[in-house]
Amino acid sequence: EFEFYKKLLDSKMCRLVAEDVIPLDHNGRKIICGCFAVPHKKDSDRLIIDRRPVNSTEFRLDWATLPHGTLFTQLYLKPNEHVRGSGDDLSNFFYCLTEPPCMESKTVIGRAITGELAQKLGVARNKRWYMCVRVLAMGGLNSVDIAQSVHEDILKAAGCMQPNTVMQY
């Protein structure tokens, strides 16, 4: 547990927050998310934040308008037309995008950290602390929309995505 938390803190993916800043649901209970790993590559797994408790308190942005890859299973082109696309996986892209400060304490994972573990992580051992995710969470209601919008803006700024050449869903 210590090694996992230390890695999250060292990578700046998370920070420790005191119990009193954790959002509460309509019954006064703390809104706590979970996390799990899914196999990704031979030497690494992908961390997924189970953000369903927080997702239920948010509205969907619906920013992502690019078609899903499965929509291209029957794509017909005229002889003078062509399609260019990328299937590259931006494996850590979500984790490069930090949440704005007002959203940072919304995605809290795991159980309370106290005592010796808290002290080893550099915080007061007599308080209750929680791990708070500072980056877009894979599993967040709007993470795909935000990441897609950022990616499109990067491509547009580099002249790689002209409005008249983009297919939208």
Side-chain angles (χ1 to χ4, degrees), residues 2-3 6-7 12 17 30 34 36 38 40-41 43 48 54 69-70 81 91 94 98 104 109 118 154 157 159 164 166:
F2 170 76
E3 292 300 323
K6 185 85 171 108
K7 188 173 267 197
K12 306 258 189 278
V17 295
K30 294 177 199 67
F36 59 94
V38 295
H40 179 57
K41 294 181 180 172
D43 59 344
I48 307 294
V54 178
T70 57
E81 296 177 324
S91 63
F94 281 30
T98 57
E104 242 184 39
I109 58 172
I154 290 169
N164 62 338
V166 176

Side-chain angles (χ1 to χ4, degrees), residues 5-115:
Y5 286 159
K6 185 85 171 108
K7 188 173 267 197
L8 292 173
L9 292 168
D10 288 348
S11 68
K12 306 258 189 278
M13 281 182 62
C14 291
R15 68 183 178 99
L16 289 168
V17 295
E19 181 176 43
D20 60 345
V21 302
I22 295 174
L24 305 175
D25 69 11
H26 62 280
N27 291 319
R29 295 179 301 217
K30 294 177 199 67
I31 301 175
I32 306 287
C33 302
C35 57
F36 59 94
V38 295
H40 179 57
K41 294 181 180 172
K42 183 181 176 185
D43 59 344
S44 66
D45 293 333
R46 180 167 274 171
L47 179 66
I48 307 294
I49 307 299
D50 182 3
R51 206 170 172 277
R52 288 177 293 176
V54 178
N55 288 346
S56 68
T57 69
E58 297 175 346
F59 293 98
R60 182 74 196 269
L61 293 174
D62 283 324
W63 290 353
T65 59
L66 295 183
H68 190 274
T70 57
L71 295 173
F72 294 114
T73 57
Q74 292 185 3
L75 182 65
Y76 298 98
L77 299 175
K78 296 176 184 171
N80 65 331
E81 296 177 324
H82 64 274
V83 173
R84 180 179 64 182
S86 172
D88 284 349
D89 180 19
L90 302 173
S91 63
N92 294 318
F93 189 56
F94 281 30
Y95 302 143
C96 293
L97 303 174
T98 57
E99 290 279 11
C102 64
M103 295 291 289
E104 242 184 39
S105 63
K106 286 192 79 170
T107 306
V108 177
I109 58 172
R111 60 182 179 210
I113 299 168
T114 59

